[in-house]
Amino acid sequence: MASSKRSFVLRHTRLRPVPGLEELRLHLADEVLPLWRAAQLETGDPDAPLPYWAFAWGGGLAIARYLRDHPEAVAGRRVFDLGAGSGLVGIAALLAGAASVTASDIDPFAAAAIEINARANGQRLAIVKRDVLDDEPPDVDVVLAGDCWYESLLAERIQPWLRRARAHGLDVLLGDPGRRYLPADELQGIATYEVRTTTELEDMELKLGRVYRLT
Ligand SMILES: C[S@@+](CC[C@H](N)C(=O)[O-])C[C@H]1O[C@@H](n2cnc3c(N)ncnc32)[C@H](O)[C@@H]1O
C-alpha cells in the first residue's frame, strides 16, 4: 500500500527546485485538478482530498524562507511540522539545522511525498500519519504550521491546539498568505516575503506570505 502511494507520487510529479528556495527540491505537480482526479481513481474515493502534497503553498514558502534567514529559530531544536503537505517546512527546518523533525499530515499520499522529498534533499524525518489535533501537544521545542487556514473547520481545530502547545512552552510559528480563517489578531507578525506559489488554484502567482509567532 505504502509503496503504491510512493509510486503514485513519483508518477505524477517532477523533482524541481522550489521558487525562491532553489537549494530545496521537491516532487511537484503542474496542475491540481487532473492530479485530484487521478487520486480519486487510484483510491476509489470520490471524496479524496485535494493533492496539497504536490504543491508548495504560500504559507509554507514563507516559513521556509524565514528559517533560511533565521536558522536560530530551529537550529539544534526538535520541530513538529503540522499539516506538512509536501514536507516543505520540515525539510527547510532540517536544512536550517533542526535536531529532528516530525512531519504530520492526514493524507496518506502526503506521507509518501514527505518521505520522498526528505530523501531528495538528503534529510530524514519522522512522519505522523494521523490527526493529532485532539492529542496533547507533541514533545518538541518548536511547532511550525504552513498554510493551514484555508478551511473554517480546520482553522477552528488548529488554533486551540496551537494555543495549548504555546501554553506548554513550545515556540509556535505560522506561515500564511492571507487566508480568510487566520486569526491574525492573536498573532505577532515577524516577517513578510513575496512568495511564488506552485499551484494554479491561487488567484495570484505572487503572494505576500507572512510569518507569525503565536504570543
Ligand atoms: C495547504 S496544505 C499546506 C502544506 C504545506 N505546509 C505547505 O505550506 O506547502 C495543508 C495541509 O494540511 C493537511 N491537513 C489537513 N487537516 C489536517 C490535520 N487535521 N492534521 C494534519 N494535517 C492536516 C492537508 O492534508 C494538507 O496537506
Side-chain angles (χ1 to χ4, degrees):
M1 188 64 162
S3 78
S4 78
K5 296 277 184 293
R6 267 200 299 280
S7 58
F8 182 88
V9 170
L10 291 170
R11 219 168 42 244
H12 290 278
T13 59
R14 195 160 49 82
L15 184 62
R16 60 188 101 166
V18 175
L21 288 154
E22 276 70 17
E23 70 280 15
L24 202 159
R25 296 189 309 155
L26 294 175
H27 284 83
L28 300 171
D30 292 312
E31 289 182 87
V32 174
L33 296 180
L35 178 54
W36 192 16
R37 181 78 189 124
Q40 289 166 333
L41 290 173
E42 178 83 1
T43 56
D45 178 3
D47 296 323
L50 274 172
Y52 295 106
W53 50 268
F55 302 90
W57 296 86
L61 287 166
I63 301 190
R65 294 268 295 274
Y66 181 81
L67 296 180
R68 185 173 65 185
D69 290 352
H70 300 277
E72 68 280 3
V74 291
R77 308 180 80 196
R78 299 164 303 159
V79 171
F80 192 87
D81 175 9
L82 179 69
S86 64
L88 163 65
V89 169
I91 294 167
L94 287 166
L95 294 176
S100 65
V101 170
T102 302
S104 82
D105 204 292
I106 50 171
D107 183 339
F109 287 117
I114 292 163
E115 192 191 340
I116 291 169
N117 285 327
R119 202 172 295 172
N121 290 277
Q123 305 297 325
R124 294 181 72 143
L125 38 67
I127 302 174
V128 173
K129 302 178 187 172
R130 60 188 175 77
D131 188 330
V132 298
L133 294 177
D134 294 320
D135 296 357
E136 283 303 300
D139 184 19
V140 297
D141 305 302
V142 186
V143 174
L144 305 173
D147 224 316
C148 294
W149 286 265
Y150 55 95
E151 274 178 11
S152 65
L153 279 180
L154 180 57
E156 277 169 25
R157 293 187 61 225
I158 280 189
Q159 214 52 30
W161 189 82
L162 291 179
R163 274 201 298 270
R164 270 208 310 284
R166 183 73 200 112
H168 278 67
L170 278 55
D171 280 348
V172 178
L173 297 182
L174 324 178
D176 183 83
R179 306 267 180 233
R180 167 193 306 237
Y181 302 109
L182 183 84
D185 50 336
E186 291 178 22
L187 305 170
Q188 176 195 7
I190 53 174
T192 302
Y193 296 95
E194 203 167 69
V195 292
R196 187 175 294 277
T197 56
T198 71
T199 163
E200 85 280 13
L201 277 191
E202 303 286 12
D203 51 358
M204 287 181 301
E205 201 183 342
L206 270 184
K207 290 183 121 14
L208 282 186
R210 294 211 161 81
V211 181
Y212 299 89
R213 186 187 303 284
L214 190 59
T215 50

